[in-house]
């Protein structure tokens, strides 16, 4: 089964480039293209993609609003940001809106390909520079302002209840590892990893792996370097 991909970018040259190298992957199928967020929302309905490769800054409707609306109506669609902007004003809002990853356009084509496969499998995909800036945003704020709100507040009081093994799983999860990869690193069964992930989400009162990854970054489980 091929991974169905919708490309969203307001630059025709970028769309052509993405279409060219992604269509060369035997497990990919480009099912549509859109030039703005509004058109992307319409194309998701008609094309039914598995993964949306979403730009951030576009006319009519930006990538953050498009991501929010798509996830509200089509929660199973994986949205992977691909942009030139790593500003704090974009990263956290995009993840809060439901994106499963945030990539930069200066990445190598094969890195983007692997990130698409990873996001399709449900793993978090973050550019290293984005991880660093995200951590800075969720852990610091000016002295006269409250900390930046992140979509992980509900679990703040419960992180002490995580076992040593659950903390290890959380750390690897935040690094983008799949359940299979976590099982290999920790030398445990994949089924056991799934049990740990469910326990982590329950204890921290989180709804998905993206929120768990943000929580791990905020609380120092992941080294942004």
């Amino acid at each position: 089964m091929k991974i169905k991909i919708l490309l969203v970018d307001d630059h025709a040259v970028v769309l052509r480039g993405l279409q060219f190298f992604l269509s060369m992957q035997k497990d990919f199928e480009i099912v549509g293209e859109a030039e703005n967020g509004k058109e992307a929302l319409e194309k998701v309905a008609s094309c039914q993609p598995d993964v949306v490769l979403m730009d951030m800054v576009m006319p009519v409707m930006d990538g953050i609003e498009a991501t929010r609306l798509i996830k509200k109506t089509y929660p199973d669609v994986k949205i992977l940001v691909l942009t030139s902007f790593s500003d704090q004003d974009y990263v956290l809002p995009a993840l809060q809106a439901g994106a499963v990853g945030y990539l930069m356009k200066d990445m190598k084509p094969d890195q983007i390909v692997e990130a698409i496969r990873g996001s399709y499998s449900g793993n978090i995909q973050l550019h290293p520079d984005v991880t660093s800036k995200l951590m800075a945003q969720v852990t610091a704020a000016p002295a006269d302002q409250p900390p930046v709100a992140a979509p992980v507040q509900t679990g703040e009081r419960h992180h002490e209840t995580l076992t040593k093994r659950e903390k290890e799983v959380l750390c690897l999860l935040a690094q983008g590892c799949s359940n299979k990869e976590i099982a290999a690193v920790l030398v445990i069964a994949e089924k056991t990893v799934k049990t740990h992930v469910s326990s982590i989400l329950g204890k921290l009162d989180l709804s998905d792996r993206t929120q768990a990854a943000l929580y791990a970054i905020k609380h120092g489980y992941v080294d942004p370097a």
Side-chain angles (χ1 to χ4, degrees):
M1 176 181 287
K2 293 188 176 183
I3 301 174
K4 296 183 294 182
I5 303 170
L6 172 66
L7 305 177
V8 185
D9 200 292
D10 62 328
H11 291 92
V13 173
V14 174
L15 285 176
R16 295 285 76 76
L18 289 172
Q19 206 278 343
F20 174 74
F21 75 79
L22 292 181
S23 63
M24 296 174 63
Q25 308 303 312
K26 294 181 179 180
D27 55 334
F28 287 178
E29 178 184 359
I30 310 301
V31 295
E33 299 176 359
E35 297 181 355
N36 59 66
K38 184 176 182 294
E39 187 178 348
L41 187 59
E42 297 169 353
K43 287 293 182 70
V44 168
S46 60
C47 299
Q48 299 184 331
D50 300 308
V51 176
V52 176
L53 210 56
M54 179 76 73
D55 192 14
M56 281 285 94
V57 180
M58 297 179 290
V60 185
M61 181 187 293
D62 65 23
I64 294 174
E65 182 62 17
T67 296
R68 182 179 296 109
L69 293 176
I70 291 172
K71 292 299 292 186
K72 181 178 180 180
T73 308
Y74 308 96
D76 293 334
V77 174
K78 304 296 191 303
I79 300 178
L80 187 59
V81 171
L82 179 63
T83 182
S84 301
F85 299 90
S86 61
D87 302 24
Q88 294 181 357
D89 291 342
Y90 296 107
V91 177
L92 186 57
L95 296 174
Q96 289 176 319
V100 297
Y102 200 105
L103 308 178
M104 304 300 297
K105 289 180 179 178
D106 62 359
M107 297 175 68
K108 295 179 180 179
D110 60 336
Q111 292 177 315
I112 295 175
V113 166
E114 289 307 312
I116 292 173
R117 292 183 179 126
S119 67
Y120 176 71
S121 300
N123 300 321
I124 311 301
Q125 306 294 320
L126 295 177
H127 188 282
D129 291 347
V130 171
T131 303
S132 180
K133 292 183 178 182
L134 177 60
M135 186 171 184
Q137 185 177 8
V138 300
T139 60
D144 59 344
Q145 295 182 16
V148 177
V152 295
Q153 300 177 53
T154 53
E156 298 290 345
R157 299 186 302 273
H158 308 299
H159 66 92
E160 298 91 347
T161 64
L162 295 179
T163 65
K164 179 181 179 181
R165 179 64 84 188
E166 287 169 347
K167 291 177 180 178
E168 292 172 340
V169 171
L170 179 60
C171 178
L172 292 168
L173 183 154
Q175 294 177 44
C177 294
S178 65
N179 286 347
K180 183 177 182 180
E181 291 169 334
I182 294 173
V185 171
L186 299 180
V187 195
I188 57 178
E190 187 173 349
K191 183 177 180 181
T192 303
V193 175
K194 293 179 181 179
T195 300
H196 285 315
V197 171
S198 296
S199 178
I200 290 167
L201 296 179
K203 287 182 178 181
L204 301 181
D205 195 18
L206 305 174
S207 61
D208 55 39
R209 296 170 75 101
T210 302
Q211 288 192 353
L214 290 173
Y215 181 95
I217 293 170
K218 181 175 181 179
H219 289 275
Y221 289 94
V222 180
D223 182 354

